[in-house]
Amino acid sequence: MQAFLERLEQDLARRQQNSLYRAPRIVSSPSGPEMELDGEQLLTFCSNDYLGLANHPDVKKAFVKAANQWGAGSGSAHLVTGHTQLHQQLEEALAAFTGHQRALLFSSGYMANLALLNGLTEKGDHVFQDKLNHASLIDSGRLMDAKMYRYLHADVSSLGRQLATVGSGQKFVVTDGVFSMDGDIAPLREMAFMAQDDDFVLMVDDAHGLGVLGENGRGSMEHFKLGTKQVPVLMGTLGKALGCAGAFIAADEVVIETLIQRARPYIYTTAQPAAMAAATLKALQLAELESWRREHLQTLIKRFSKGARQLGLPLMHSMTPIQPILAGTAVKALSWAEQLRQRQILVTAIRPPTVPDETARLRITFSAAHSESQVDRLLDALARIIKQDVA
Ligand SMILES: *Cc1c(COP(=O)(O)O)cnc(C)c1O
């Protein structure tokens, strides 16, 4: 035991030395632009509540009402007695929203992604993943029996070269729709085109596209005007733009039935609370109807990227609410975040191993709940920090 504890202490010390140590902050206010953290009032640009629905009065009301009727917990897994009428309604609403035959709920996006590759692939299959796919997809690939390949980020020629190396076996290509740490959008149109020739199944994790992209918030597919034929398997999360918690996979009937039989992260876990399903149903309606949220978000994004370009900030190429500023080293990213914090602004520094070495960054995210003057306050603070950095 002593040797084990020493090993852990050494590892923690190493992380600290390399500016890679992480710790949760204690939040004492609801998620939103203005938050109280560790006793301090801060303007935040780090949540994934892109449409500002997490605190929408109607969403909260739906949650409370359902909690009063159905209780706090679901009591068991979906296949036992955890699948209530509300879960069923939400699955039907998600199927209608995405245009797929069916949708299946999961308790988190991480679990949905574990289910995706484990539940649908077999030994002898080949799974191609973008190098920058979300950690849950990469982990899912490590657990499956199929062989995994990782192509260069958003690079269809790299993908094409890798596809050409395999002979027999079903092929799958899996990609984030919007990349969580870069904010760029996968070249889905080209990929869907390739899928026709190459006969692979295209799977898209649209955690950051859903609710945000497309005229009706249907995500990356709507953005590129792609249908369910072109993207036959879609994964989406409910904890980002929809402001709730949980996730789903939407696909053909036979795909969903297979997941129900085989996907261990579906079978062996407690269903999300019915109240969460009720809240999500309301959030989904609002996301679709209140298109002003998407429009306002786009106004904020444009205002920020224009301002940041004028300041000469090393902005990454993104038209989504994820607007990273490249720092390079973890030390520099942390220093920028710390200087913002001194100005009562909270932005997270994203460091390896979440992003590749030497690409540590500030990950700035916007929400429809932000105002234009809050964006200006952020720009103003960044201008001062960068000036200091140069001096
Ligand atoms: C957040 C995220 C997930 C995980 O979803 P959770 O519901 O938070 O577990 C999966 N994929 C991507 C791309 C994500 O950004």
Side-chain angles (χ1 to χ4, degrees), residues 66 77 239 258 266 317 324 383:
T258 302
Y266 174 77
H317 183 72

Side-chain angles (χ1 to χ4, degrees), residues 31-223:
S31 165
E34 306 269 3
M35 292 178 75
E36 192 182 319
L37 263 89
D38 296 329
E40 202 181 348
Q41 208 62 40
L42 299 169
L43 174 59
T44 71
F45 295 92
C46 33
S47 98
N48 301 314
D49 179 22
Y50 302 121
L51 298 179
L53 293 175
N55 286 287
H56 194 292
D58 294 351
V59 175
K60 291 196 284 191
K61 224 182 280 166
F63 187 92
V64 170
K65 183 167 169 247
N68 280 328
Q69 189 181 348
W70 298 86
S74 64
S76 69
H78 282 274
L79 289 177
V80 186
T81 57
H83 189 74
T84 66
Q85 289 165 6
L86 291 172
H87 294 100
Q88 183 62 29
Q89 270 178 41
L90 177 55
E91 286 183 349
E92 285 168 15
L94 287 166
F97 184 69
T98 58
H100 282 280
Q101 284 177 2
R102 268 181 79 182
L104 189 69
L105 284 175
F106 291 84
S107 299
S108 77
Y110 195 103
M111 291 168 71
N113 276 344
L114 289 189
L116 189 68
L117 297 182
N118 279 294
L120 298 177
T121 66
E122 293 173 7
K123 197 170 164 60
D125 290 348
H126 307 273
V127 175
F128 301 83
Q129 296 214 36
D130 189 292
K131 271 224 153 98
L132 296 189
N133 272 355
H134 190 262
S136 54
L137 282 173
I138 303 299
D139 291 356
S140 183
R142 291 197 178 115
L143 292 173
M144 70 189 176
D145 293 324
K147 187 159 180 222
M148 179 157 74
Y149 307 76
R150 294 175 72 180
Y151 57 89
L152 296 176
H153 174 53
D155 186 336
V156 286
S157 32
S158 169
L159 170 62
R161 282 193 299 276
Q162 292 192 0
L163 282 164
T165 64
V166 308
S168 64
Q170 178 65 54
K171 290 178 273 188
F172 300 86
V173 174
V174 192
T175 181
D176 286 15
V178 174
F179 289 88
S180 50
M181 296 300 140
D182 293 56
D184 58 336
I185 308 174
L188 294 178
R189 201 190 276 281
E190 288 91 328
M191 293 170 83
F193 203 68
M194 283 172 86
Q196 292 177 338
D197 284 345
D198 242 299
D199 196 28
F200 59 77
V201 177
L202 180 57
M203 298 171 152
V204 174
D205 169 346
D206 211 21
H208 298 277
L210 219 75
V212 173
L213 295 178
E215 202 177 328
N216 304 291
R218 291 194 167 77
S220 305
M221 264 100 278
E222 192 179 16
H223 175 77

Side-chain angles (χ1 to χ4, degrees), residues 119-373:
L120 298 177
T121 66
E122 293 173 7
K123 197 170 164 60
D125 290 348
H126 307 273
V127 175
F128 301 83
Q129 296 214 36
D130 189 292
K131 271 224 153 98
L132 296 189
N133 272 355
H134 190 262
S136 54
L137 282 173
I138 303 299
D139 291 356
S140 183
R142 291 197 178 115
L143 292 173
M144 70 189 176
D145 293 324
K147 187 159 180 222
M148 179 157 74
Y149 307 76
R150 294 175 72 180
Y151 57 89
L152 296 176
H153 174 53
D155 186 336
V156 286
S157 32
S158 169
L159 170 62
R161 282 193 299 276
Q162 292 192 0
L163 282 164
T165 64
V166 308
S168 64
Q170 178 65 54
K171 290 178 273 188
F172 300 86
V173 174
V174 192
T175 181
D176 286 15
V178 174
F179 289 88
S180 50
M181 296 300 140
D182 293 56
D184 58 336
I185 308 174
L188 294 178
R189 201 190 276 281
E190 288 91 328
M191 293 170 83
F193 203 68
M194 283 172 86
Q196 292 177 338
D197 284 345
D198 242 299
D199 196 28
F200 59 77
V201 177
L202 180 57
M203 298 171 152
V204 174
D205 169 346
D206 211 21
H208 298 277
L210 219 75
V212 173
L213 295 178
E215 202 177 328
N216 304 291
R218 291 194 167 77
S220 305
M221 264 100 278
E222 192 179 16
H223 175 77
F224 287 118
K225 304 207 164 35
L226 296 172
T228 55
K229 287 253 176 347
Q230 288 135 320
V231 181
V233 184
L234 173 71
M235 177 275 190
T237 65
L238 312 175
K240 286 169 179 154
L242 294 177
C244 292
F248 69 92
I249 293 174
D252 274 2
E253 177 80 26
V254 61
V255 172
I256 299 301
E257 279 301 320
T258 302
L259 286 169
I260 293 172
Q261 313 311 315
R262 291 188 11 189
R264 297 166 69 88
Y266 174 77
I267 301 168
Y268 298 107
T269 197
T270 304
Q272 66 169 191
M276 190 54 82
T280 311
L281 266 167
K282 180 46 80 180
L284 190 62
Q285 280 172 9
L286 292 166
E288 207 173 353
L289 284 175
E290 298 190 344
S291 53
W292 64 263
R293 293 178 183 273
R294 271 180 293 283
E295 286 153 22
H296 178 58
L297 191 53
Q298 281 306 322
T299 305
L300 300 176
I301 295 166
K302 290 200 184 100
R303 191 175 185 96
F304 175 76
S305 55
K306 185 165 168 230
R309 253 182 276 118
Q310 280 168 354
L311 292 169
L313 301 182
L315 207 56
M316 293 175 69
H317 183 72
S318 161
M319 53 160 290
T320 67
I322 304 166
Q323 292 287 325
I325 298 184
L326 200 61
T329 65
V331 174
K332 194 162 172 187
L334 276 184
S335 153
W336 285 356
E338 180 49 37
Q339 291 176 71
L340 285 172
R341 174 88 185 232
Q342 284 162 9
R343 294 178 160 82
Q344 283 73 51
I345 293 176
L346 187 75
V347 171
T348 24
I350 306 286
R351 296 160 282 167
T354 307
V355 291
D357 282 338
E358 303 307 316
T359 68
R361 65 198 68 173
L362 292 180
R363 179 179 183 267
I364 293 166
T365 55
F366 296 103
S367 159
H370 282 118
S371 66
E372 293 186 51
S373 67

